[in-house]
Amino acid sequence: MRLPHALLIFLAVAAPEPVFAQVAAADSGDTGWMLLCALLLLVAALPGLMLRHGGQVNVRSALSVMAQGAAVAAMASIVWALAGYSLAYAPGGSWIGGGANLLLANLGQLPDGLTVPESAFVLFQLGLALIAACLPVGAVAERTPIGWWIAFAPLWLLLVYAPLAHAVWGGGWLAELGVMDFAGALGIHALAGFSALALALIVGRRRERGDAGHAPVLSLAGGALLWIGLSGAVGGWARGATDDAATALLNHHFAACAGALGWALLDKLLGGRSSATGVLSGALAGIAAISASAALVGTGGAMLIGLIAAIVCRIGAGALARWVDDSAGIFVIHGLGGATGALLLPVFVLPLLGGVGFEGNIGLTGALVSQIIGLAVVALWALVGSAIAALIVSVVIPMRVSPEAEAEGLDARQHGQQSWDFR
């Protein structure tokens, strides 16, 4: 009896076992990191930009520009879920994504190249889209009604932002040309900045223009939230809790610090004193610039990029003040800052300057040419696309409020409320 039993045991052990497919699981640490970065971006887009914009306008219209920011964020979020994400990142052509992810359908558990579920990637990309959509609101504050912004935001997101995001990050034609943008110097800051310039030129100057806004302390608080919140962009584009993410966060902070000090110093040299709001403006200019290369350059390179961007933006602010009435300095800080960072990337990514170097057969000259082409495309796309979207909406809803409403203030005229009630 022992022999048959031993034979059965031997056959059971030796028999081939069925092979079950191994389902790849998302990395919980990378997923948590991506979710945290997405939440940081939401903090930057909502309280950050709302406070910064609200403090930089007349007290009679501060509430209105904050309400416009909240409305744009809400509308842009809905449109991002309906079609924006799919047009930007679903498989498609070189110019636009496909329709596979309309209404966020068919999201993958673990897309190629990611260690996080696609739902986390969608949330992170939503945060980036909200930053881009909400930035131009401050450029034309005190002059545009909230209804116009609610109609303009979805059109801008689909016509301007989604195609550009696909071209740069979704495997589109700008990426094929070799255009590099790590975390949004072109795709977020420059795009929003040049869009703001187009809107400011179309709507015209304010009838009563204040230089510093009614509450600089709110602008400082909002700018500080942006300083922290925008770190989510560079951290999230590392696509995981990795050394690249830590490097990007460090360089983000160092560029902001160098930009803040550079702007303050230039303020002192040009005007005799350093403005408090200028410190945060310089930090944001540095942040916009380093977004192009946060994980690709060394510490010294990040500081120099932030400093150079702050100098360029501060000089640009003085030169453009007479010609463009941009209430929150969106074009000067984010447009010029992002453009500066994109053009500096090929130089500071060189190993000689502490960068990671180029991949493949890319050289300095070729990279510079690609970045110049990319910047030209982004600027033209933003200017023309924003102008077209603005004019389409203006056929139905006037872009500029009446002179009486502007004089009275949009808070009372449109919302029946006021920013501050001291009764």
Side-chain angles (χ1 to χ4, degrees), residues 171-350:
W173 65 284
L174 285 179
E176 294 173 355
L177 286 176
V179 176
M180 295 177 285
D181 185 14
F182 177 72
L186 288 175
I188 304 295
H189 296 280
L191 185 69
F194 281 95
S195 296
L197 176 62
L199 298 182
L201 291 174
I202 292 172
V203 78
R205 303 175 68 84
R206 287 169 288 178
R207 290 175 172 83
E208 296 180 15
R209 181 175 175 181
D211 291 330
H214 86 284
V217 67
L218 292 184
S219 296
L220 285 170
L225 285 174
L226 283 172
W227 186 332
I228 298 171
L230 287 174
S231 64
V234 299
W237 267 119
R239 303 191 178 193
T242 63
D243 179 61
D244 282 347
T247 299
L249 289 178
L250 284 171
N251 287 338
H252 166 95
H253 185 68
F254 293 143
C257 293
L261 297 176
W263 190 297
L265 177 60
L266 205 54
D267 262 355
K268 181 71 173 179
L269 295 175
L270 296 177
R273 64 181 69 181
S274 299
S275 68
T277 53
V279 174
L280 265 298
S281 295
L284 293 177
I287 288 169
I290 199 58
S291 297
S293 57
L296 310 176
V297 299
T299 301
M303 294 178 181
L304 284 174
I305 288 172
L307 178 62
I308 294 170
I311 293 172
V312 170
C313 294
R314 176 59 182 84
I315 294 173
L320 293 173
R322 296 182 179 180
W323 308 103
V324 181
D325 186 2
D326 180 348
S327 310
I330 303 301
F331 171 68
V332 166
I333 295 173
H334 298 273
L336 292 183
T340 302
L343 295 179
L344 290 176
L345 182 154
V347 176
F348 286 96
V349 81
L350 294 173

